[in-house]
Amino acid sequence: MRKLIIAALLATGSITGQAMATEVHITATNPVIDLSVTEYVDAVPDVATFSTGVQTLAPTANEAVRQNNAQMALVISRLKKLGIADKDIQTTQISLNQQFDYNEGRQTFRGFEAGNTVTAKLRDLKKLPQFLDALASDGATNFNGPSFSVDDDSKLRESARDKAWDSAIRRANAIARKAGYGSARVLRVEEQSGDGGGYPMPVMAMREQSSAKDTPIAPGQVRIGSSISFTFEMVK
């Protein structure tokens, strides 16, 4: 006999808004099957996320920050002129560091390096090649990405979840029949969703290697996944 304990969080209506944990005890009288299933659906992305920014070097900290602010303002202005909404532009890092040269064990002060990086989402992928080239011309000194995704992936996740559920049921029933039982019933379900694909590409390197006018971009497809773990009881 195996006793399963399932923890569930039930939202309360109290002012504190805290959650109360409850335990549900389920007793299995027959052997059980533990399965972890992951299924994916592929989709064409409609959003590209990337980071871009500016690094400037100057003799003093104040001058480095001043130059960086002016140059970054041009980059953000270009982002907006190219159609990216304010809500899709987010500052992710601001830095100021001393820089040194090293020669034969000697340290020579080079100046202060200021940096500012933003993450942006472009929702019209047809504009991405021209977009990246325009940013470079406006003073952006680094790019990272793009990472491709689907803006509203709720239906795709539901499809992946259905595939995972159906696959688990088939496998559990097949195992139960091999063990001399009629079928399997679900005792426990726990889901953890995730996606794969859309890995970042070195955009600046691609730009330098290309002789074409615009940076070549291949969005490909992204994978939307659902991972579910089950416990089944084998029944007659």
Side-chain angles (χ1 to χ4, degrees):
M1 180 181 295
R2 177 173 170 180
K3 181 176 290 186
L4 302 177
I5 301 177
I6 303 177
L9 292 178
L10 301 178
T12 67
S14 64
I15 296 177
T16 61
Q18 295 178 345
M20 178 179 64
T22 63
E23 291 185 349
V24 180
H25 297 264
I26 300 177
T27 301
T29 58
N30 296 317
V32 300
I33 304 166
D34 291 318
L35 288 178
S36 293
V37 180
T38 301
E39 293 288 348
Y40 297 95
V41 294
D42 295 328
V44 176
D46 57 15
V47 174
T49 302
F50 60 92
S51 64
T52 185
V54 173
Q55 290 179 309
T56 54
L57 184 69
T60 66
N62 286 342
E63 183 62 17
V65 171
R66 187 193 66 78
Q67 291 182 18
N68 190 268
N69 289 346
Q71 199 167 336
M72 194 62 192
L74 293 176
V75 171
I76 292 177
S77 176
R78 171 63 76 168
L79 289 173
K80 295 179 180 180
K81 287 179 181 178
L82 290 169
I84 294 187
D86 288 347
K87 68 176 183 178
D88 290 330
I89 303 172
Q90 184 177 55
T91 299
T92 55
Q93 185 177 25
I94 296 176
S95 62
L96 178 65
N97 299 288
Q98 297 183 39
Q99 297 297 314
F100 298 89
D101 286 329
Y102 296 89
N103 184 20
E104 297 181 352
R106 287 189 169 187
Q107 178 178 282
T108 304
F109 177 68
R110 291 179 57 214
F112 289 88
E113 184 179 72
N116 192 326
T117 302
V118 297
T119 297
K121 290 183 179 180
L122 181 66
R123 300 179 185 276
D124 185 354
L125 297 189
K126 293 180 181 179
K127 294 182 179 179
L128 186 55
Q130 303 94 320
F131 185 88
L132 296 176
D133 291 337
L135 277 180
S137 67
D138 272 346
T141 59
N142 57 75
F143 295 121
N144 286 291
S147 176
F148 296 103
S149 61
V150 177
D151 190 32
D152 183 2
D153 62 2
S154 55
K155 291 183 178 179
L156 296 170
R157 289 192 183 278
E158 186 64 29
S159 296
R161 184 180 299 113
D162 289 344
K163 289 178 64 176
W165 185 276
D166 293 343
S167 177
I169 295 294
R170 287 195 303 271
R171 288 169 58 182
N173 284 331
I175 293 172
R177 287 191 292 269
K178 286 182 180 294
Y181 290 82
S183 62
R185 71 182 183 98
V186 177
L187 292 181
R188 182 188 65 88
V189 180
E190 183 178 349
E191 181 186 40
Q192 182 176 2
S193 296
D195 23 281
Y199 299 107
M201 297 184 294
V203 177
M204 181 60 81
M206 292 175 61
R207 184 177 190 274
E208 293 172 349
Q209 295 168 6
S210 174
S211 60
K213 181 179 179 181
D214 298 322
T215 301
I217 301 293
Q221 289 188 321
V222 293
R223 308 194 79 189
I224 309 298
S226 178
S227 297
I228 308 178
S229 60
F230 297 84
T231 297
F232 294 89
E233 181 186 13
M234 294 186 285
V235 295
K236 295 292 187 178

